[in-house]
Amino acid sequence: MIQPICILVAAMGGEGGGVLADWLIDAATHAGYPVQSTSVPGVAQRTGATTYYVEIFPCAREQLQGQEPVLSLTPAPGQVDIVAASELVEAGRSIQSGYVDPKRTTLVASTHREYAVSEKAAMGDGRYDSTQVIDAATQRARRAIVFDMRALALQHGTVINTVMFGAMAGAGVLPFNREACEGAIRRSGKAVEASLRGFAAGFETAEGRVSAAGQLDAALHAKPAVPPRVQRLPASLHEITAAGVDLTTDFQNERYADLYLDRVERLASLANGDESALEAVRETARYLALWMSYEDVIRVAQLKTRQERLDRVRREVGARSGEPIHMTEYLKPGLDEMASVLPPKLAAWLRRKAAGRSWHRGMYIRTDTIRGFLMLCGLRSLRPLRRHMSRYLEEQAGIEKWLAAVETAMPGPLALEVALCGNLVKGYGETSSRGHRNLNAILDQVNKGATADKVRTAREAALADPEGRQLSAAIGQPVAHPIKIVKRRPAN
C-alpha cells in the first residue's frame, strides 16, 4: 500500500520556511505527484517557529486513473518521514512532541542556536545545553543529519532554507531527484544562483561527500591574532587576552586596549606562573574585556551602523543587489542612558532634576533615510569624547575596585571566585545598576574577610535571583535594591 511522504518543517521568521515549502510543492507538482500543504504560525519569531506541513503522494496522477488520495492537513506523532528544523532547539521541540520516530523519521537540523528570551535574560549563563538535543536526535531519529546550516548558508551568500532543502534532498527520502529540486529553485526566479549554491552545499553534506566542518569558511572560526605584548604573557592567557584586545580596540581605540593589557599584565605578574593563579587571571581577563566594553548609546549606534550588520540584514530579508530595503530602529533611552554621555557634574545635575521621575521616550528612527542614519552616525562620532563622560568614569572606578579585590586575594581560590564576580556586571539601565550593586555588596564581604566558599555562594545567589533576595540571605544583610512604586489611576 502506497503511503504519502510526510514532511514537517520548523523555521523562524526570515529563514524562508514558506519558500522551502513552495519548492517542495513545485517539485512534486512537476513530477506529477498529488501534494498538499498547510502552515501554522508561531506566536513570535523565537517563542514559536512557524511550522509547514507537506504531504506528497509518491504516485503519478496518470497511474491513479482519476482517483484522488486523501491527504492530511496536520502531522501525527510518529507518522512523519522528514522533520527539518532551522535551529537546534526547534529540533528538540519536534523530538519532544513525538514527531521524530526512530523507525521512520529522518531528522534534518541545524546545530546553530537562536537564543530564547529566557536564555538571554538570565543573569548568568542561561543557555540550554545543546548536547542534550544532539544526543536525543541521534537516539530518536532513524537517521539524523545535523550540522551548522547557518554558517554554510553565510559562506555561500544565501539563506538557511536553501541548505535545508539540499540536506533534505541529499537524505534520499524525497520521491524526486536532485534535478527536480534544482528545477523548482530555478522556476522561483529569486536569488537563483545563490540558492543553488546553498542547495548543493547542503546536498553534498547530507550525502557525506563533503564534511560539514570542511565546508565552513575558516574565517568563521578564525582566532584573533596574538599581539606582541600578549605573546609575552603565559600561553594559557593568549587566546582570551588577544580577544580582549580586539574587543577593547573596537570599543574605543588602541590606547584603551593598552589600558586593558596594563591591567592584565599587572595581575599576571602576581601569579608567578602558578596554574591556579593563572586561572584567576584568565577569568579576570575575560570579564575585564566585557566590562570595559560596556553598552552605552555610543556603542549601540556604532554596532547598528556597521556595514557588516547592514549586509547581514540584507541577507536575512533576501534583498537582491541594488534592491532598496526599509529599516526602522526602535530605541528607548532612559535617564541613565542620557546622563551617561554627559560630563559628571552635568550628569549629576540632570539626575537631581529628574529624581523620582520615570523618563523613557520611545524613538523610531528610519535608518534607511539620510537623516535617520546620520542621527546614529552623530552618536557614534562621540566616541573620542567618551573618556570625559560620567558613565566612563563610573565604570573605570568600579573596575579598579574589583581588580584591587582580585589582587588582594592573589594567589589562592578566593582570587578566582572574586574574578568570576565580574560576570555580575552586564547590560544597561536597571540591569547594569543591579549588577553593580550586587558586586559591591559581595566586595564588601571580601573586605570583611569572606572565604572563597562564601563568595561563590553569594555570586551564585546574585545570578539566580535578579531581585536580590537570595543574595541578601547569602551575605546576611539587605542589598540596596530600589523599590518600584506603581502609580494607579484613581477609581471613578
Side-chain angles (χ1 to χ4, degrees), residues 204-410:
E204 292 168 3
T205 302
E207 275 198 329
R209 284 190 280 159
V210 179
S211 70
Q215 287 207 26
L216 298 181
D217 187 357
L220 292 171
H221 302 287
K223 295 181 180 179
V226 180
R229 279 187 69 180
V230 177
Q231 292 177 6
R232 293 195 288 268
L233 293 169
S236 60
L237 303 179
H238 286 180
E239 185 175 355
I240 287 292
T241 309
V245 169
D246 281 355
L247 182 60
T248 49
T249 303
D250 180 66
F251 177 80
Q252 187 66 16
N253 50 31
E254 292 183 0
R255 179 184 169 192
Y256 195 55
D258 287 339
L259 174 61
Y260 168 75
L261 282 174
D262 290 343
R263 288 164 164 169
V264 175
E265 288 171 349
R266 195 170 78 208
L267 289 172
S269 65
L270 299 175
N272 293 322
D274 181 75
E275 281 303 318
S276 61
L278 285 175
E279 184 180 2
V281 178
R282 185 167 56 250
E283 294 306 315
T284 303
R286 181 198 312 277
Y287 294 117
L288 175 62
L290 294 171
W291 191 344
M292 289 180 67
S293 305
Y294 58 88
E295 297 179 8
D296 59 4
V297 293
I298 301 173
R299 182 63 169 171
V300 171
Q302 178 190 9
L303 297 175
K304 285 185 177 293
T305 53
R306 279 187 166 167
Q307 185 62 49
E308 309 93 88
R309 192 239 180 184
L310 301 177
D311 292 340
R312 177 173 58 82
V313 171
R314 294 188 67 87
R315 285 196 305 268
E316 290 180 352
V317 301
R320 291 189 288 255
S321 177
E323 185 177 8
I325 61 173
H326 296 287
M327 289 180 59
T328 301
E329 305 286 356
Y330 177 67
L331 306 175
K332 194 176 181 181
L335 176 64
D336 286 336
E337 283 79 11
M338 301 305 295
S340 68
V341 298
L342 299 175
K345 291 184 179 179
L346 189 55
W349 173 85
L350 179 61
R351 289 189 174 102
R352 287 196 304 270
K353 195 75 173 176
R357 302 177 186 176
S358 178
W359 189 86
H360 285 85
R361 179 175 297 177
M363 301 171 59
Y364 293 89
I365 301 178
R366 286 279 304 276
T367 50
D368 57 319
T369 65
I370 295 177
R371 180 168 178 256
F373 194 77
L374 286 179
M375 287 179 64
L376 291 184
C377 289
L379 285 173
R380 184 184 66 184
S381 68
L382 297 176
R383 187 164 58 158
L385 303 176
R386 188 185 262 141
R387 287 177 174 271
H388 307 288
M389 296 177 181
S390 63
R391 174 80 184 273
Y392 177 89
L393 299 175
E394 291 167 1
E395 296 293 349
Q396 301 309 315
I399 288 171
E400 287 299 335
K401 180 179 179 181
W402 169 59
L403 291 178
V406 176
E407 290 179 18
T408 303
M410 291 277 287

Side-chain angles (χ1 to χ4, degrees), residues 8-21 38-53 84-86 90 93-94 164:
L8 180 63
V9 177
M12 289 177 286
E15 294 180 334
V19 175
L20 173 54
T38 187
S39 64
V40 179
V43 178
Q45 286 189 349
R46 193 59 197 86
T47 54
T50 296
T51 56
Y52 304 87
Y53 182 61
S86 65
E90 294 303 331
R93 291 185 182 185
S94 298
M164 290 175 62

